[in-house]
């Protein structure tokens, strides 16, 4: 994954600035992570697909890996807003997260494999639980535990998603807490 490094000086659009204010209001309520994710998802949904949300630079992908553009990192570390640009065939590893997360598809569609970690007392293994195709405008939110997944672009065109995390992604560099090996028989 490549990351835009000039996030603090990044130019944002008036619509993105409005989204930041709306997310801040939801996060400042101090509710539990699952409720916060739900409220943030409600704030994100009306902005998805709107052409004035991102700058042209924030829509650019990278041929080597999906690209992360940090749009905003709240000074107190309470949330970050990131645009992920996926070229055809690009994917994440199987992973979980450091905090609650809300993801909305801004352009194209994303495919997602969800997993559950099961243990027999001596060893743990991943079990696939669901395959989801998220079209433009869809929003999902989750909070650890139970947030293990892999996201990928199975389409012929570029996909862009907006992710809002309950952490300072600018400082951490990523929302990933842990990466998991693929279950037997998967790639």
């Amino acid at each position: 994954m490549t990351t835009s490094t000039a996030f603090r000086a990044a130019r944002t659009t008036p619509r993105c600035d409005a989204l930041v204010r709306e997310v801040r209001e939801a996060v400042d309520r101090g509710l539990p992570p699952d409720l916060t994710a739900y409220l943030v998802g409600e704030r994100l949904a009306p902005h998805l697909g709107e052409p004035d949300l991102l700058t042209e630079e924030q829509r650019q992908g990278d041929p080597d890996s999906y690209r992360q553009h940090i749009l905003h990192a709240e000074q107190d570390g309470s949330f970050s807003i990131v645009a992920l640009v996926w070229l055809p065939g690009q994917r994440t590893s199987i992973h979980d997260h450091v905090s609650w997360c809300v993801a909305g598809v801004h352009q194209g569609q994303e495919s997602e494999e969800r997993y559950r970690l099961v243990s027999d007392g001596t060893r743990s293994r991943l079990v696939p639980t669901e395959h989801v195709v998220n079209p433009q405008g869809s929003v999902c939110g989750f909070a650890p535990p139970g947030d293990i997944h892999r996201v990928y672009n199975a389409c012929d065109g570029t996909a862009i998603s907006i992710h809002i995390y309950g952490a300072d992604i600018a400082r951490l560099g990523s929302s990933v807490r842990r990466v998991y090996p693929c279950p037997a028989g998967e790639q």
Side-chain angles (χ1 to χ4, degrees):
M1 168 188 57
T2 57
T3 303
S4 293
T5 55
F7 65 91
R8 296 220 189 268
R11 184 173 64 96
T12 58
T13 66
R15 180 176 289 279
C16 185
D17 294 341
L19 175 60
V20 168
R21 288 189 301 273
E22 293 168 23
V23 170
R24 183 180 295 129
E25 184 275 330
V27 170
D28 284 351
R29 293 179 68 180
L31 297 171
D34 56 340
L35 293 175
T36 298
Y38 178 81
L39 291 174
V40 168
E42 286 185 328
R43 299 328 189 262
L44 174 59
H47 298 282
L48 295 173
E50 294 297 331
D52 59 343
L53 180 61
L54 301 174
T55 66
E56 190 58 38
E57 179 185 359
Q58 294 161 349
R59 297 172 151 286
Q60 298 302 308
D62 183 303
D64 296 326
S65 178
Y66 70 95
R67 186 170 184 191
Q68 172 179 277
H69 297 276
I70 300 175
L71 307 177
H72 178 80
E74 192 74 341
Q75 284 188 338
D76 67 3
S78 60
F79 72 92
S80 300
I81 303 176
V82 176
L84 296 181
V85 181
W86 312 81
L87 299 180
Q90 293 180 337
R91 66 177 56 212
T92 66
S93 57
I94 299 172
H95 64 280
D96 62 10
H97 300 87
V98 297
S99 70
W100 60 263
C101 174
V102 172
V105 179
H106 181 61
Q107 174 184 313
Q109 70 180 29
E110 290 179 346
S111 295
E112 180 183 13
E113 297 289 338
R114 296 178 182 170
Y115 299 87
R116 181 171 38 95
L117 191 61
V118 296
S119 176
D120 63 9
T122 58
R123 66 182 197 100
S124 298
R125 64 186 172 85
L126 286 179
V127 174
T129 60
E130 190 174 17
H131 172 79
V132 180
V133 176
N134 301 305
Q136 181 177 321
S138 65
V139 176
C140 65
F142 47 82
D147 61 323
I148 303 170
H149 69 161
R150 171 180 18 206
V151 180
Y152 56 98
N153 180 358
C155 295
D156 293 334
T158 300
I160 301 174
S161 53
I162 307 300
H163 295 237
I164 305 174
Y165 302 104
D168 185 346
I169 301 308
R171 184 179 58 78
L172 297 175
S174 171
S175 68
V176 173
R177 180 173 66 110
R178 184 172 39 208
V179 172
Y180 298 85
C182 287
E186 287 191 29
Q187 293 186 16

